[in-house]
């Protein structure tokens, strides 16, 4: 998996452009601002990511890495696992009677959903 800076550098190098050239195209006062993005010392804001995507003729998601299937799948799967674990913990912390009521309600909802 690559970083935002690595993707920026890759797109720039594909076009044979210098950091100074890209900085000027973006209207940056200092080329060091852009260099810091490539070195992953800082990150551009969303508006600048859109400008970079337009300049490099790629989608913003390509620059940010959101189109990398492993990243998206892993984050979604991890989110589901985290939420499931939190829910299980919350249920286990309930008193026994309330836990039984909740389980009965879930069963009723499942039955209702089948109709």
């Amino acid at each position: 998996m690559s970083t935002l800076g690595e993707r920026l550098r890759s797109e720039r190098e594909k076009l044979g452009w210098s950091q100074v050239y890209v900085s000027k195209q973006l209207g940056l006062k200092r080329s060091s601002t852009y260099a810091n993005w490539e070195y992953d010392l800082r990150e551009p804001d969303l508006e600048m990511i859109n400008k970079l995507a337009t300049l490099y003729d790629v989608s913003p998601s390509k620059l940010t890495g959101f189109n990398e299937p492993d990243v998206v799948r892993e984050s979604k799967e991890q989110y589901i696992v985290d939420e499931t674990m939190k829910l299980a913990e919350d249920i286990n912390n309930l008193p026994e009677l309330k836990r039984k009521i909740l389980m009965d309600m879930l069963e009723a909802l499942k039955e209702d959903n089948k109709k």
Side-chain angles (χ1 to χ4, degrees), residues 1-2 64-76:
M1 177 176 16
S2 59
T64 58
F66 288 121
N67 66 335
E68 294 179 10
D70 291 340
V71 173
V72 173
R73 189 180 73 244
E74 186 177 300
S75 332
K76 184 177 180 182

Side-chain angles (χ1 to χ4, degrees), residues 4 7 10 36-37 46 52 60 65 67 71 73 89 99 108:
L4 173 61
R7 288 185 292 274
S10 173
N36 285 334
W37 298 339
L46 291 176
L52 285 159
N67 66 335
V71 173
R73 189 180 73 244
E89 185 179 324
R99 212 173 26 246

Side-chain angles (χ1 to χ4, degrees), residues 25-111:
Q25 296 304 306
L26 296 171
L28 299 173
K29 293 178 183 174
R30 295 174 300 199
S31 60
S32 62
T33 300
Y34 179 80
N36 285 334
W37 298 339
E38 280 195 8
Y39 299 134
D40 290 312
L41 298 175
R42 298 201 184 275
E43 290 187 359
D45 61 24
L46 291 176
E47 180 183 342
M48 193 55 70
I49 287 174
N50 285 326
K51 287 182 180 181
L52 285 159
T54 300
L55 181 66
Y56 290 141
D57 195 27
V58 297
S59 69
S61 62
K62 181 172 183 181
L63 290 180
T64 58
F66 288 121
N67 66 335
E68 294 179 10
D70 291 340
V71 173
V72 173
R73 189 180 73 244
E74 186 177 300
S75 332
K76 184 177 180 182
E77 288 172 356
Q78 187 59 49
Y79 173 79
I80 291 169
V81 168
D82 291 347
E83 288 298 304
T84 302
M85 294 301 291
K86 183 180 179 307
L87 180 60
E89 185 179 324
D90 289 346
I91 292 170
N92 283 332
N93 288 334
L94 290 173
E96 186 176 343
L97 179 60
K98 289 186 178 182
R99 212 173 26 246
K100 177 160 180 13
I101 292 169
L102 179 60
M103 296 309 288
D104 290 343
M105 288 173 62
L106 285 171
E107 286 301 317
L109 287 170
K110 286 186 340 188
E111 286 299 318

Side-chain angles (χ1 to χ4, degrees), residues 11-33:
E11 293 301 322
R12 178 181 57 78
E13 289 176 348
K14 280 182 200 175
L15 297 166
W17 294 343
S18 69
Q19 289 180 343
V20 172
Y21 176 80
V22 172
S23 298
K24 286 181 182 177
Q25 296 304 306
L26 296 171
L28 299 173
K29 293 178 183 174
R30 295 174 300 199
S31 60
S32 62
T33 300

